[in-house]
Amino acid sequence: MLNNSDLLFIYDAKLTNPNGDADDENKPRMDYETSTNLVSDVRLKRYIRDYLVDRGFEVFVAQPEGKVVTATQRIEGIFEKYDGNVNLNKLTNDQIGWLLNQLIDVRLFGATMPIKSADSKGSSITFTGPVQFSWGYSLNPAILVESNTITSRFSSEADKATTMGKDYRLYYSLIAFSGVISGNRAKHTKMNENDLNVLEEALIKAIPLMATRSKIGQYPRLYLRIEYNSNEFLIGDLRDYIPRIENVNVRNITDYILDLEQLKTVLERHIDRINSISYWHHDQLQIKTDSGSGTLENIMGDKLSSKLKKLPL
């Protein structure tokens, strides 16, 4: 059985476009008033799903064999593996349970499916996912690269052609996501401990491994999961306890030290509610508290040290 957890996931993007905005020439999503880079939760989930597919997992939100299919066609394709008769307009609880067992992304993130259970009057079933992420935002002022025009040339002896276009990128963005895991919702979607392990593996490994031309240069830097001993409690958005990096000239991970003192303080305040603090920390990311700088084990202090659990990734 899974308990409630708060999640903090931080990765950086150097000379890349973390999440293009289709409504704005595919420029990186930005809050221009504060020079804050924005990344949608959908983009993060896409990394995770792509990694899961690459690992051989079945996911609901996918294009089998590269083909665009409807949700109904996707479900029909999955049920081709089912041993028995299936009526999508009247699925039994056992058949719905079987479907959930096939689809790890539904167990994690939920989905609305155009199917009916035997005791349902609706035209679809909605699974609210236990794992939810907010939109990510940069902890530093993110600046667009000033020169963005690129050229491409296609040529032969008889014909030459040059095309020009825009390639928008940021100099550097340290992107932080907040997330939650609901223990009660996990029961509903059948999410289990193994699913959680796979999710954490995907968060740490997916972004560099799934890189495309516009995404190469992005690496995970810090992951924390605060697991509680009650499904009635969450601290909330852990990013609220990390001060913004004010340096507008950040161009590299070595240009700043991330201050976790406020986060440490709030975790100590709620230590009686915390079962464990699972973590992964890239050694290039410099972090500190008032106790000093160094590894997470060294800076979190004696009160929290017994709660720390380093992920074997």
Side-chain angles (χ1 to χ4, degrees):
M1 183 179 71
L2 297 177
N3 295 323
N4 277 8
S5 293
D6 275 313
L7 307 177
L8 174 69
F9 176 58
I10 298 177
Y11 70 97
D12 64 358
K14 181 179 178 180
L15 294 175
T16 75
N17 184 346
N19 188 195
D21 186 349
D23 292 328
D24 191 17
E25 299 181 298
N26 205 44
K27 292 179 182 177
R29 297 179 188 272
M30 292 289 295
D31 175 354
Y32 288 104
E33 291 186 4
T34 61
S35 298
T36 302
N37 175 216
L38 306 175
V39 179
S40 75
D41 62 315
V42 175
R43 173 64 269 184
L44 182 60
K45 290 176 182 177
R46 182 73 270 159
Y47 283 126
I48 294 169
R49 284 191 172 98
D50 287 348
Y51 180 81
L52 295 176
V53 170
D54 199 53
R55 282 277 314 275
F57 288 93
E58 188 88 75
V59 301
F60 176 59
V61 182
Q63 296 181 1
E65 300 178 355
K67 298 177 182 178
V68 177
V69 296
T70 66
T72 299
Q73 289 171 329
R74 181 75 186 110
I75 294 171
E76 290 173 343
I78 294 166
F79 267 115
E80 287 177 359
K81 300 186 298 184
Y82 185 76
D83 184 17
N85 296 323
V86 177
N87 180 356
L88 293 186
N89 293 317
K90 201 172 183 180
L91 290 180
T92 67
N93 288 334
D94 286 345
Q95 289 170 333
I96 292 173
W98 179 90
L99 185 61
L100 284 171
N101 285 335
Q102 308 307 304
L103 301 171
I104 188 172
D105 63 330
V106 179
R107 297 198 300 273
L108 294 172
F109 307 132
T112 296
M113 297 183 171
I115 56 178
K116 292 172 63 176
S117 64
D119 56 357
S120 171
K121 296 181 180 179
S123 59
S124 64
I125 294 178
T126 297
F127 297 99
T128 302
V131 180
Q132 298 294 334
F133 291 103
S134 65
W135 273 44
Y137 59 75
S138 62
L139 298 176
N140 67 298
I143 310 299
L144 281 169
V145 175
E146 295 178 3
S147 176
N148 52 56
T149 300
I150 58 172
T151 61
S152 298
R153 174 167 292 178
F154 302 88
S155 64
S156 66
E157 293 296 326
D159 182 40
K160 294 184 178 180
T162 299
T163 60
M164 301 181 68
K166 298 293 185 180
D167 184 17
Y168 295 103
R169 298 184 181 231
L170 299 172
Y171 284 110
Y172 187 86
S173 179
L174 184 67
I175 303 158
F177 277 88
S178 170
V180 298
I181 298 175
S182 166
N184 291 328
R185 290 177 181 173
K187 299 174 188 175
H188 183 55
T189 67
K190 301 170 71 73
M191 179 184 171
N192 54 46
E193 194 75 32
N194 185 63
D195 294 336
L196 174 58
N197 294 338
V198 172
L199 170 68
E200 292 181 324
E201 176 187 323
L203 281 169
I204 301 240
K205 294 184 178 180
I207 289 177
L209 291 179
M210 300 291 110
T212 60
R213 177 182 174 274
S214 67
K215 302 293 186 289
I216 191 168
Q218 301 184 160
Y219 297 96
R221 299 302 185 182
L222 182 66
Y223 170 76
L224 294 177
R225 177 169 60 85
I226 317 302
E227 181 186 300
Y228 303 106
N229 52 30
S230 166
N231 283 344
E232 304 299 324
F233 178 77
L234 290 165
I235 288 177
D237 194 331
L238 300 179
R239 298 172 299 182
D240 291 343
Y241 306 100
I242 301 178
R244 181 175 169 86
I245 300 165
E246 297 299 338
N247 182 3
V248 297
N249 296 315
V250 171
R251 295 294 186 268
N252 201 300
I253 194 171
T254 58
D255 291 340
Y256 59 88
I257 300 177
L258 197 64
D259 189 342
L260 301 183
E261 175 60 28
Q262 292 181 37
L263 180 59
K264 172 187 171 184
T265 300
V266 75
L267 294 179
E268 288 178 339
R269 187 184 310 147
H270 297 290
I271 193 166
D272 290 339
R273 297 178 179 267
I274 296 173
N275 271 346
S276 64
I277 303 172
S278 299
Y279 74 95
W280 179 90
H281 170 215
H282 195 286
D283 57 9
Q284 281 188 298
L285 177 67
Q286 302 175 87
I287 55 177
K288 69 176 182 179
T289 64
D290 289 352
S291 301
S293 60
T295 65
L296 207 67
E297 302 98 310
N298 294 335
I299 69 172
M300 278 302 184
D302 295 337
K303 285 186 179 180
L304 295 172
S305 60
S306 63
K307 303 289 185 178
L308 292 174
K309 185 172 70 173
K310 188 174 184 179
L311 294 176
L313 295 171

